[in-house]
């Protein structure tokens, strides 16, 4: 009984699956039958067998008409039955009529295989079964006398042969069906596992980010205090390690987003120069104690204002530079930016070339593979998850770009990416300030790898060309002095070591020339009053700014608090006490009045009582989450609620978190851990302008 | 007459980078169009990046030859000195518009000689090497051009295509025919004759079988083969296939130089993944 039930269950399952008829298969089968019938019809007419000729012609026409009818039937169920009945009628006709010498009945043997393959298992099975019942009914009863006269042996053997075909076909197709089911199940399981992995990563990201916010925030606050050198060192190490950990978490999250197809580009206008400045700053900071030369060779004619995903472009370049930094122990690395005009904008080409360990030929094809780090033995000491390059490649592909790599083992590697970008404004990245006769003398003896030296020279030439100026490069003091005595120069650029070799001489020279020293940003040497500094990495724009006499290249980056908003009231809502403390600490330099609430209800009550200039709202809180709290605030009968900006503050940055919060009515979104620069931007954007008082613009 | 001769070629001549650098051969890039963007071959995309792109599902790419303006700029950039002559070797004019573009661009430049290679890929490369060799012996540009026209008739340039979808995408074959060939797993052997692509046979069967059959067919008339240089192209990342082709191609003929070389992105997007090509001189 249970077996019968299982069979019935299986039939019901197959029926459920077989709702759709394989139309293209049927068209193919019917087309072949009609072509065959047409040919047979022609053959019969040639052989003067008029009756068979007409019969075959009728079959061909019927097939074609049936095919036309297929297209008109919209209901899949009706179509299935129409197909079954039309084939059934055709086969019965074949059996009745017999064809030439009774061979037409052979078509019936194709029905089980053909029906199950071309229609589907359920309807093909029904059709085969109906024919299987009809054959003995016709052959073994007096009915057979009506049509073609088959021999007695034929009438007994044919039904047996047909059923043998039918059973074999059923066995084969049921196996195929089960195999397909298993495959589908495996795919579904794999998809579920992948989805679970992404969800797990997103959850983990949130869970890790929340305590990381406290660690990094408190650490940053500590570092703003007067500390002993030991405590400061320790705090800095904790902060640096936390940042490293955040980097790994971000990479994992990015990768899960890319893999699940949830990574979306956030395109907007951006300045290439800003991207470059940030990238250079971050890379220089990461270089730490490594004695490497980092050069930026940027085509001065690339348009500066582009349209694309600035954050992701920055991420791509940083990933490539970090990779170069990791695998280069001596020499240096070069970042080159060029652009080629296209009808849609430019093809931005970014290349990172290093003098590092290089990649063995057999590993080059594998470097973009997920979680794979090539040449593990040699690179055991190099930190990393192996996700940087796979993410980079996927981001580049997402931007419709391409990435290529060239490497020579033991000599170095070059990654080159091409990203198509729209151009908003054609103004180039390096602009010429004023027009006057400029002659530049550049003195530099430092030994650097060939390609670095070339790029120095190339940058120098680019600026010279851009300024329509003339210039000379010297590699020895003697040559330098000769040039100075024989030529008229307006600007002199020298290396740090050259300056240190004879400070007095250059300090004196700076009274007659515009003189700049190229030196490290992280460990600058003090220079004479008239001497200016071009901070490394060596960069066309810095170079050009020196000639333009812009002061930008002299400045350090802005510190977080450069303004105060004394009259402003800010409400911070978070269920985590440490996070509230961190936020208060971050807001302290801005001299704003900060109120805190530890849940949604408390926040609503506070907003009922008072108007806030800005609200930072955590997302995940017990009882009432950030979104629900926001909705309830909006329902409050207070005229100031509509204009009160509420910024989502959350550790949940997975998938389309930003979009989710914006759709829910939040004015902005800020992710944890809180970054000083991000917070500053947020305050500047949302606090009333009349409450903001500028402090001194720069640190120095 | 001319003290210096600059040898230049379409980037699809597929010469090894080492030779390009050693002989200072100047390349003019073609273009690859994919989705809504366009990349420059040689400078922006190369074999590996194109290979990765083509491995994705449902991608369509097509190649575009350099425009007249590109040729003009290229020639002008190369001719800094009046006493320099440029010999530019183009892909066969029966395959691409490139030659016509180059001729129009060079019509006002007496010192620019444009040569129709009547060939593709390494077939052009063989002519470029010939031109370099002659330029080094201080031959006159006219003499070099004449010699190139003679030499191009001796070049055997062929390939077997794993699929015809790529040449169909580039409108070199009807899409329906291409689909039919693919349905029946028919691999056409394409050979250049008088500068035009001709189907010289078809192969069926497994990869190993059809590759062997193709190589044997191309090397059938051994006496006519000049055993000097052989360029082998295998558009696949399968080391097994590369080894198989190398073994088969060098088994019975003792070549003086054999270059196993990837092709440009343009050639890859025209012949497609899995194709195998052989280029050499005949006697």
């Amino acid at each position: 009984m249970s077996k019968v039930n299982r069979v019935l269950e299986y039939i019901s399952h197959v029926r459920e699956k077989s709702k759709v008829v394989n139309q293209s298969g049927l068209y193919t089968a019917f087309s072949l039958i009609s072509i065959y019938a047409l040919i047979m019809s022609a053959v019969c007419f040639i052989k003067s067998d008029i009756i068979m000729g007409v019969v075959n012609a009728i079959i061909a026409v019927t097939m074609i008409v049936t095919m036309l009818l297929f297209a008109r039937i919209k209901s899949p169920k009706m179509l299935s039955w129409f197909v079954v009945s039309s084939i059934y009628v055709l086969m019965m006709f074949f059996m009745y009529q017999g064809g030439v010498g009774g061979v037409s009945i052979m078509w019936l043997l194709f029905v089980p295989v053909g029906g199950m393959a071309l229609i589907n298992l359920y309807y093909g099975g029904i059709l085969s079964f109906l024919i299987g019942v009809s054959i003995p009914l016709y052959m073994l009863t007096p009915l057979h006398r009506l049509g073609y006269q088959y021999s007695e042996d034929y009438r007994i053997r044919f039904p047996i042969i047909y059923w043998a075909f039918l059973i074999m076909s059923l066995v084969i197709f049921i196996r195929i069906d089960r195999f397909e089911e298993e495959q589908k199940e495996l795919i579904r399981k794999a998809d579920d596992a992948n989805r679970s992995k992404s969800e797990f990563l997103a959850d983990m990201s949130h869970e890790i980010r929340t305590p990381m916010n406290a660690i990094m925030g408190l650490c940053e606050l500590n570092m703003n205090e007067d500390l002993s050198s030991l405590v400061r060192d320790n705090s800095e190490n904790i902060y640096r390690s936390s940042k490293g950990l955040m980097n790994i978490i971000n990479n994992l999250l990015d990768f899960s987003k890319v893999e699940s197809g949830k990574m979306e580009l956030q395109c907007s206008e951006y300045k290439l120069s800003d991207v470059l400045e940030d990238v250079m700053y971050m890379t220089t900071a990461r270089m730490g104690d490594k004695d490497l030369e980092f050069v930026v060779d940027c085509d001065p004619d690339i348009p500066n204002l582009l349209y694309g995903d600035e954050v992701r472009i920055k991420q791509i370049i940083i990933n490539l530079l970090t990779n170069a930094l990791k695998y280069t122990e001596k020499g240096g690395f070069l970042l080159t930016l060029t652009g080629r005009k296209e009808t849609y904008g430019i093809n931005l080409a970014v290349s990172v070339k290093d003098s590092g360990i290089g990649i063995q030929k057999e590993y080059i094809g594998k470097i973009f593979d997920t979680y794979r780090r090539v040449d593990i033995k040699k690179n055991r000491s190099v930190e990393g998850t192996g996700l940087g390059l796979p993410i980079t490649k996927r981001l580049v592909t997402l931007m419709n770009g391409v990435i290529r790599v060239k490497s020579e083992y033991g000599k170095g590697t070059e990654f080159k990416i091409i990203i198509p970008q729209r151009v908003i404004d054609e103004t180039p990245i390096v602009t010429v300030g004023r027009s006057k006769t400029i002659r530049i003398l550049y003195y530099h003896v430092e030994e650097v790898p060939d390609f670095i030296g070339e790029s120095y020279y190339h940058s120098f030439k680019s600026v010279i060309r851009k300024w329509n100026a003339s210039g000379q490069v010297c590699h020895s003091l003697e040559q330098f002095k000769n040039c100075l005595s024989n030529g008229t120069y307006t600007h002199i650029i020298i290396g740090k070591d050259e300056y240190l070799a004879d400070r007095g001489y250059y300090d004196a020279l700076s009274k007659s020339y515009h003189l700049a020293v190229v030196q490290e940003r992280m460990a600058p040497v003090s220079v004479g009053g008239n001497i200016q500094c071009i901070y490394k990495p060596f960069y066309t724009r810095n170079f050009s700014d020196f000639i333009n006499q812009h002061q930008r290249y002299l400045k350090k980056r802005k510190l977080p608090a450069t303004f105060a908003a004394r009259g402003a009231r800010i409400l911070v809502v978070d269920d985590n006490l440490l996070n509230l403390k961190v936020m208060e600490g971050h807001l302290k330099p801005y001299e704003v009045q900060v109120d805190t609430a530890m849940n949604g209800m408390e926040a609503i009550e506070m907003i009922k009582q008072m108007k806030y200039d800005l609200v930072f709202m955590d997302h995940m809180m017990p009882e009432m989450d950030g979104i629900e709290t926001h909705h309830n605030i909006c329902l409050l009968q207070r005229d100031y609620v509509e204009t009160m900006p509420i910024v989502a503050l959350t550790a949940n940055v997975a998938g389309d978190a930003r979009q989710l919060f914006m759709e829910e009515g939040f004015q902005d979104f800020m992710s944890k851990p809180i970054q000083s620069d991000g917070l500053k931007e947020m305050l500047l954007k949302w606090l009333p302008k009349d409450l903001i008082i500028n402090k001194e613009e720069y640190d120095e | 007459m001319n003290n210096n001769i600059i040898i230049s070629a379409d980037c699809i001549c597929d010469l090894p980078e080492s030779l390009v650098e050693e002989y200072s051969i100047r390349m003019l890039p073609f273009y690859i169009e994919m989705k809504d963007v366009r990349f420059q071959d040689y400078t922006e995309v190369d074999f590996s990046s194109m290979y990765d792109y083509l491995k994705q599902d449902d991608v369509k790419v097509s190649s575009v030859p350099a425009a007249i303006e590109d040729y003009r700029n290229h020639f002008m950039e190369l001719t800094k000195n009046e006493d320099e002559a440029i010999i530019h070797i183009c892909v066969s004019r029966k395959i691409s518009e490139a030659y016509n573009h180059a001729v129009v661009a060079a019509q006002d430049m007496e010192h620019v000689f444009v040569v129709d290679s009547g060939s593709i890929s390494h077939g052009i490369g063989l002519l470029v090497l010939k031109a370099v060799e002659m330029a080094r012996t201080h031959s006159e540009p006219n003499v070099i051009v004449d010699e190139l026209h003679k030499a191009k008739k001796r070049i055997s340039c062929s390939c077997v295509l794993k699929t015809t979808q790529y040449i169909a995408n580039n409108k070199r074959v009807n899409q329906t025919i291409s689909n039919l060939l693919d349905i029946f797993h028919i691999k056409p052997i394409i050979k250049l004759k008088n500068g035009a692509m001709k189907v010289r046979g078809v192969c069926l069967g497994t990869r190993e079988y059809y590759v062997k059959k193709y190589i044997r067919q191309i090397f059938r008339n051994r006496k006519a083969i000049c055993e000097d240089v052989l360029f082998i192209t295998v558009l696949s990342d399968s080391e097994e296939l590369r080894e198989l082709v190398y073994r088969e191609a060098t088994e019975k003929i003792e070549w003086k130089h054999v270059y196993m070389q990837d092709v440009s992105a343009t050639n890859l997007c025209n012949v497609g993944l899995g194709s195998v090509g052989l280029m050499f001189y005949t006697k």
Side-chain angles (χ1 to χ4, degrees):
Chain A
M1 192 60 193
S2 65
K3 278 192 178 174
V4 174
N5 276 339
R6 267 161 56 190
V7 171
L8 289 175
E9 268 177 26
Y10 183 69
I11 292 173
S12 147
H13 156 76
V14 170
R15 184 185 172 191
E16 204 51 39
K17 268 193 349 174
S18 309
K19 283 180 178 166
V20 183
V21 172
N22 176 1
Q23 264 178 299
S24 60
L26 281 172
Y27 280 126
T28 314
F30 274 57
S31 309
L32 290 173
I33 296 173
S34 33
I35 291 166
Y36 173 79
L38 279 173
I39 294 168
M40 287 310 292
S41 169
V43 170
C44 291
F45 280 122
I46 291 165
K47 287 186 172 178
S48 307
D49 187 349
I50 305 298
I51 296 172
M52 288 310 294
V54 172
V55 168
N56 276 300
I58 290 169
I59 292 170
V61 171
T62 313
M63 292 287 103
I64 292 163
V65 171
T66 315
M67 275 196 292
L68 293 174
L69 283 173
F70 283 168
R72 298 188 72 83
I73 298 174
K74 300 291 175 204
S75 157
K77 198 175 173 184
M78 196 184 281
L79 178 64
S80 306
W81 282 113
F82 177 73
V83 169
V84 169
S85 50
S86 56
I87 297 175
Y88 179 77
V89 170
L90 179 72
M91 292 301 131
M92 288 303 103
F93 176 74
F94 281 177
M95 184 167 68
Y96 164 78
Q97 192 263 342
V100 181
V103 289
S104 285
I105 199 170
M106 292 301 168
W107 282 102
L108 273 69
L109 296 177
F110 292 109
V111 171
V113 175
M116 287 176 217
L118 296 175
I119 309 175
N120 52 44
L121 183 56
Y122 181 69
Y123 288 104
I126 288 177
L127 174 64
S128 310
F129 182 77
L130 283 176
I131 292 173
V133 171
S134 305
I135 293 170
L137 264 178
Y138 179 81
M139 292 288 197
L140 306 175
T141 63
L143 282 172
H144 74 269
R145 293 188 188 124
L146 298 172
Y148 182 82
Q149 294 301 302
Y150 298 99
S151 71
E152 195 171 344
D153 285 347
Y154 212 96
R155 284 192 290 117
I156 295 166
R157 286 180 189 174
F158 189 78
I160 298 168
I161 294 168
Y162 178 85
W163 274 94
F165 264 77
L166 174 56
I167 290 164
M168 276 195 307
S169 308
L170 267 177
V171 170
I172 292 167
F173 279 96
I174 287 172
R175 283 193 171 194
I176 292 173
D177 179 66
R178 285 189 173 171
F179 178 71
E180 281 175 356
E181 281 297 306
E182 281 170 16
Q183 294 296 308
K184 278 183 193 166
E185 183 63 16
L186 286 174
I187 292 169
R188 195 184 58 74
K189 277 183 182 169
D191 285 346
D192 283 353
N194 202 27
R195 204 173 303 117
S196 303
K197 183 195 77 183
S198 298
E199 281 165 12
F200 172 75
L201 280 172
D203 289 347
M204 285 313 290
S205 156
H206 178 268
E207 295 309 314
I208 297 169
R209 272 170 180 271
T210 307
M212 286 302 291
N213 183 45
I215 297 170
M216 290 177 75
L218 293 171
C219 215
E220 206 173 341
L221 296 179
N222 270 352
M223 288 191 296
N224 289 339
E225 304 296 326
D226 282 336
L227 301 171
S228 69
S229 62
L230 179 69
V231 178
R232 177 169 292 281
D233 274 357
N234 288 344
S235 296
E236 280 174 2
N237 285 335
I238 294 170
Y239 188 75
R240 204 172 297 130
S241 303
S242 306
K243 273 189 109 173
L245 184 56
M246 279 311 300
N247 212 21
I248 293 170
I249 295 165
N250 288 338
N251 270 347
L252 282 170
L253 199 63
D254 278 350
F255 191 75
S256 80
K257 273 195 232 173
V258 173
E259 286 293 282
S260 58
K262 285 182 183 169
M263 176 70 84
E264 282 177 11
L265 298 176
Q266 308 283 337
C267 293
S268 58
E269 288 180 18
Y270 71 94
K271 281 185 179 171
L272 189 62
S273 54
D274 288 351
V275 170
L276 211 46
E277 297 275 344
D278 284 355
V279 161
M280 287 192 309
Y281 181 77
M282 289 173 82
T283 310
T284 319
R286 280 180 190 181
M287 278 167 73
D289 299 333
K290 271 196 167 181
D291 186 20
L292 295 173
E293 198 70 20
F294 172 34
V295 182
V296 178
D297 184 2
C298 176
D299 179 354
D301 294 325
I302 310 180
N304 197 22
L305 197 58
L306 305 177
Y307 186 85
D309 190 332
E310 178 184 5
V311 175
R312 297 299 174 189
I313 289 173
K314 218 184 281 179
Q315 186 181 357
I316 289 169
I317 304 175
I318 286 170
N319 277 355
L320 295 179
L321 286 169
T322 308
N323 205 62
L325 186 57
K326 272 186 198 170
Y327 295 101
T328 309
E329 288 304 322
K330 58 180 181 181
F333 52 104
L334 163 70
L335 169 68
T336 311
L337 274 97
T338 53
R340 188 178 59 76
K341 278 190 181 176
E342 273 294 345
T343 48
Y344 47 77
I346 58 162
N347 276 5
L348 181 67
V350 181
S351 141
V352 176
K353 187 175 180 180
D354 64 55
S355 58
I357 57 171
I359 309 164
Q360 281 176 319
K361 206 177 171 189
E362 63 263 36
Y363 292 130
I364 287 183
K366 295 173 185 166
I367 53 166
F368 297 115
D369 287 0
T370 317
Y371 305 114
R372 184 191 283 268
R373 292 181 64 202
V374 297
D375 210 355
I376 296 283
K377 269 188 187 173
K378 197 165 181 181
N379 302 327
R380 196 175 291 150
S381 59
V382 180
E383 289 175 1
T385 54
L387 284 177
L389 288 177
I391 291 172
T392 302
K393 182 171 182 186
R394 282 158 180 80
L395 286 176
V396 170
T397 308
L398 203 62
M399 292 177 185
N400 286 334
V402 287
I403 185 165
R404 56 195 273 191
V405 55
K406 273 202 283 188
S407 186
E408 203 174 335
Y409 192 55
K411 288 195 171 173
T413 306
E414 181 181 6
F415 286 94
K416 188 173 185 180
I417 56 160
I418 314 289
I419 311 171
Q421 295 284 281
R422 271 173 52 200
V423 174
I424 301 296
D425 185 3
E426 293 286 346
T427 310
I429 194 163
V430 174
T431 48
V432 178
R434 55 192 168 163
S435 168
K436 72 178 215 181
T437 311
I438 290 164
R439 283 177 62 79
I440 308 163
L441 188 59
Y442 180 37
Y443 171 38
H444 188 257
V445 291
E446 197 178 342
E447 277 186 26
V448 285
D450 284 353
F451 70 89
I452 302 267
E454 279 168 23
S455 61
Y456 271 127
Y457 188 58
H458 186 258
S459 285
F460 181 69
K461 278 209 307 190
S462 299
V463 176
I464 299 277
R465 176 176 57 80
K466 182 83 189 168
W467 281 82
N468 201 16
S470 58
Q472 175 72 41
V473 180
C474 305
H475 294 293
S476 71
L477 187 59
E478 196 185 349
Q479 190 189 0
F480 175 72
K481 285 182 175 171
N482 271 342
C483 286
L484 263 188
S485 55
N486 297 332
T488 329
Y489 292 94
T490 53
H491 293 72
I492 296 171
I493 300 168
I494 54 171
K496 180 188 76 177
D497 292 337
E498 288 73 33
Y499 173 73
L500 290 177
D502 196 348
R503 277 170 183 259
Y505 171 65
Y506 296 108
D507 286 346
L509 270 186
S510 69
K511 288 171 187 161
S512 318
Y513 301 91
H514 294 293
L515 198 147
V517 176
V518 180
Q519 60 169 322
E520 314 291 337
R521 187 186 289 270
M522 292 301 164
V525 294
S526 59
V527 292
N530 289 335
I531 297 178
Q532 293 163 339
C533 295
I534 298 177
Y535 290 108
K536 284 186 182 179
F538 196 76
Y539 168 38
T540 342
R541 199 170 147 96
N542 286 350
F543 210 155
S544 195
D545 281 348
F546 164 58
I547 300 167
N548 269 334
Q549 292 298 293
H550 285 172
Q551 292 303 303
R552 191 178 57 82
Y553 59 93
L554 286 168
K555 292 161 194 163
K556 286 187 180 173
R557 288 173 77 83
K558 292 170 186 177
L559 286 178
T562 56
F563 65 90
R566 279 178 198 129
R569 285 190 85 98
I570 295 176
L571 174 65
V572 184
V573 190
D574 199 315
D575 62 318
N576 187 314
L577 196 61
L578 273 178
N579 282 346
L580 287 176
K581 204 173 163 188
V582 169
M583 196 61 175
E584 280 181 298
H586 274 298
L587 289 170
K588 197 177 165 188
Y590 300 99
E591 300 171 36
V592 291
Q593 192 169 338
V594 183
D595 289 343
T596 57
M598 288 198 67
N599 58 55
M601 285 306 295
E602 198 182 331
I604 292 168
E605 287 306 316
M606 290 171 83
I607 290 168
K608 268 186 196 170
Q609 308 301 324
M610 186 181 297
K611 180 195 171 194
Y612 285 96
D613 297 304
L614 181 58
V615 178
F616 287 107
M617 179 79 69
D618 184 32
H619 177 210
M620 296 215 184
M621 294 185 289
E623 291 172 30
M624 192 188 288
D625 70 15
I627 293 174
E628 200 182 340
T629 309
H630 179 269
H631 288 172
N632 287 327
I633 290 169
C634 291
L635 295 175
L636 292 176
Q637 302 290 322
R638 300 285 184 279
D639 52 356
Y640 53 81
V641 164
E642 264 184 39
T643 53
M644 188 173 68
I646 303 180
V647 175
L649 182 68
T650 177
N652 177 16
V653 291
D656 43 6
R658 169 179 284 274
Q659 198 184 339
L660 168 81
F661 289 115
M662 300 310 267
E663 279 170 7
E664 292 294 345
F666 283 87
Q667 272 68 38
D668 218 326
F669 166 93
M670 197 160 81
S671 68
K672 290 177 188 172
I674 297 155
Q675 304 287 320
S676 308
D677 287 352
L679 179 64
K680 184 184 161 190
E681 273 175 33
M682 208 56 79
L683 295 177
L684 277 173
K685 187 173 172 184
W686 293 112
L687 285 180
K689 299 285 175 279
D690 53 333
L691 294 179
I692 293 175
I693 310 153
N694 271 326
K695 287 181 177 179
E696 54 185 353
E697 179 67 17
Y698 292 106
D699 179 39
E700 53 176 71
Chain B
M1 192 178 93
N2 292 291
N3 292 332
N4 289 316
I5 297 173
I6 298 169
I7 305 298
S8 156
D10 291 343
C11 74
I12 59 170
C13 70
D14 299 339
L15 283 173
E17 216 173 288
S18 55
L19 293 182
V20 173
E21 277 175 25
E22 187 183 341
Y23 299 138
S24 301
I25 300 160
R26 314 303 171 92
M27 295 291 176
L28 180 75
F30 278 20
Y31 296 96
I32 307 281
E33 287 181 341
M34 46 173 92
K35 291 181 187 164
D36 300 324
V37 295
R38 193 170 85 140
F39 295 105
Q40 211 169 39
D41 191 2
Y42 195 70
T43 57
E44 293 179 347
V45 281
D46 63 353
F47 175 82
S48 58
S49 45
M50 180 52 62
Y51 191 90
D52 280 348
Y53 185 80
L54 291 178
K55 273 201 293 188
Q56 300 172 66
D57 295 331
D58 298 328
V59 289
K60 278 195 172 176
V61 289
S62 53
S63 64
V64 181
I68 296 170
E69 199 56 33
D70 294 326
Y71 275 104
R72 193 171 289 135
N73 293 339
H74 178 68
F75 295 147
M76 281 166 69
E77 203 171 293
L78 292 184
T79 53
K80 297 274 159 63
N81 299 322
E82 282 294 311
D83 61 346
E84 280 179 335
I86 299 166
I87 297 177
H88 183 84
I89 303 168
C90 280
V91 60
S92 170
R93 65 175 153 185
K94 289 183 183 167
I95 290 172
S96 167
E97 279 296 303
Y99 174 77
N100 295 337
H101 292 178
V103 169
V104 173
Q107 63 189 359
D108 299 328
M109 304 181 192
E110 284 179 3
H111 54 288
V112 178
F113 300 83
V114 181
V115 178
D116 170 18
S117 69
S119 199
I120 53 168
S121 184
H122 302 301
I124 312 171
L126 285 167
L127 284 188
V128 172
L129 292 180
K130 173 100 184 158
V132 167
E133 197 183 300
M134 292 188 72
R136 286 184 149 199
T137 57
H138 306 290
S139 304
E140 286 294 321
N142 287 326
V143 177
I144 299 176
V145 171
D146 287 345
E147 280 300 313
L148 292 181
H149 281 301
K150 282 179 201 163
K152 75 182 183 187
K153 290 172 189 161
R154 294 197 294 116
I155 290 174
S156 168
C157 185
S158 66
C159 62
V160 60
L161 306 181
K162 187 184 174 193
T163 167
T164 49
Q165 286 303 324
Y166 298 94
I167 52 171
N169 286 346
N170 284 284
K171 298 184 175 64
R172 299 193 195 287
V173 70
N174 181 287
Q175 188 66 52
T176 314
I177 293 171
S178 164
N179 288 342
L180 278 173
L181 290 172
D182 282 353
I183 284 171
F184 294 106
H185 297 282
I186 296 170
K187 279 94 182 164
I189 295 173
I190 307 285
K191 200 167 177 193
L192 262 79
K193 194 176 179 189
N194 298 326
M197 288 206 281
K198 303 279 180 196
V199 178
R200 309 302 290 178
V202 291
C203 300
L204 288 164
T206 63
R207 186 174 72 177
E208 191 173 334
Y209 179 78
Y210 78 73
V211 166
K212 280 182 178 176
K213 190 183 169 191
Y214 157 67
I215 295 172
R216 281 169 199 167
Q217 186 174 329
I218 294 300
F219 292 156
R220 198 163 42 195
N221 189 4
R222 273 188 60 189
K223 284 179 186 170
I225 296 171
C226 176
E227 296 170 358
D228 201 17
V229 187
L230 170 70
F231 277 104
I232 302 174
T233 291
V234 180
L235 307 186
S236 165
D237 54 4
S238 159
E239 276 305 313
E240 281 173 32
L241 181 62
R242 284 168 179 264
E243 279 169 22
L244 170 76
V245 176
Y246 186 85
R247 202 172 51 239
E248 286 290 315
T250 54
E251 198 177 24
K252 290 175 183 165
I253 303 174
E254 282 189 18
W255 300 94
K256 281 185 193 159
H257 303 282
V258 179
Y259 294 99
M260 190 98 179
Q261 181 65 26
D262 288 334
V263 295
S264 59
T266 306
N267 283 332
L268 177 58
C269 89
N270 273 290
V271 293
L273 307 183
S275 303
V276 173
L278 298 168
M279 286 92 182
F280 53 90
Y281 275 119
T282 56
K283 285 176 185 165

